[in-house]
Amino acid sequence: MKFLVLNGVNLNLTGKREPGVYGAETLEEINGELAAFVRARGHEADFKQSNIEGELCTFIQQAEGKYDGIVLNAGAYTHYSVALRDAIAAVSVPVVEVHMSNVQAREEFRKNSVLTGVCRGEILGFGKNSYILALESFLL
Ligand code: DQA
C-alpha cells in the first residue's frame, strides 16, 4: 500500500514551536521514523506539508487513484476549513485525522473538528505516535 502523510499549517515548525505540547523532534525527524515504520512493513509513504489551505486541498485532490490512505494533521485548519472538509469528501481515498496533542483537553475552540465527519477516524493525543497509530489503522 502507499500512503500520504500530509501536514498542514505550522506543522513545519514542529520541534521548535511549543515543544511542551508538540515535542522536541522536528517534522523531518518524525517523517523519517514514519517512513521506516511503513517500509519495515513492506509499504510506501510520501510526505507533504503546506501552510496554504488551497494547496492542502490540491494535495488531497491529487491523491485520488494514487494513494491507499491519507494521514492528515491539518493543524488549525482542522477547526474551521470547510474547503478541506469538501476536498476530503470529494475523494475516495480514506483519510485518518491526527493530532499530536489531545485537543479535547485544550482550549474550547480546539474541541471541534469540521473534518472528522468525513474522515475514516480520528487519533489524537499520542504525540508523534498519533501518526504511527493512524498508519497502523490502515494495516489492520
Ligand atoms: C494540532 C492541534 C491543532 O489544534 C493545532 O492548531 C495544531 C496542531 C495537533 O497536532 O495537536 O497546529 O493539530
Side-chain angles (χ1 to χ4, degrees):
M1 284 194 273
K2 192 164 180 187
F3 304 110
L4 174 63
V5 178
L6 184 55
N7 278 284
V9 62
N10 294 318
L11 274 308
N12 56 311
L13 297 179
T14 304
K16 291 172 213 118
R17 72 157 179 163
E18 301 182 77
V21 179
Y22 301 116
E25 277 181 80
T26 66
L27 186 61
E28 209 177 26
E29 288 166 341
I30 293 170
N31 284 346
E33 290 170 42
L34 301 181
F37 175 87
V38 166
R39 220 179 300 120
R41 284 154 186 81
H43 304 285
E44 281 177 71
D46 287 337
F47 299 86
K48 290 183 179 162
Q49 188 275 331
S50 177
N51 290 322
I52 303 166
E53 185 180 13
E55 197 163 58
L56 293 164
C57 292
T58 300
F59 289 150
I60 292 168
Q61 291 176 15
Q62 291 172 342
E64 186 73 62
K66 208 170 151 199
Y67 295 101
D68 300 294
I70 300 173
V71 171
L72 173 66
N73 185 350
Y77 290 142
T78 303
H79 311 298
Y80 64 90
S81 176
V82 175
L84 265 180
R85 181 191 168 100
D86 288 349
I88 295 166
V91 296
S92 64
V93 191
V95 177
V96 173
E97 175 184 346
V98 309
H99 301 287
M100 287 187 276
S101 64
N102 178 357
V103 285
Q104 294 302 327
R106 298 181 65 192
E107 303 95 327
E108 277 306 310
F109 64 85
R110 290 188 207 276
K111 292 185 179 169
N112 183 54
S113 166
V114 298
L115 308 181
T116 314
V118 289
C119 288
R120 178 179 276 186
E122 183 190 20
I123 295 171
L124 51 95
F126 297 98
K128 66 178 179 184
N129 288 323
S130 290
Y131 295 97
I132 293 276
L133 292 167
L135 287 166
E136 186 107 55
S137 75
F138 286 116
L139 306 177
L140 295 173

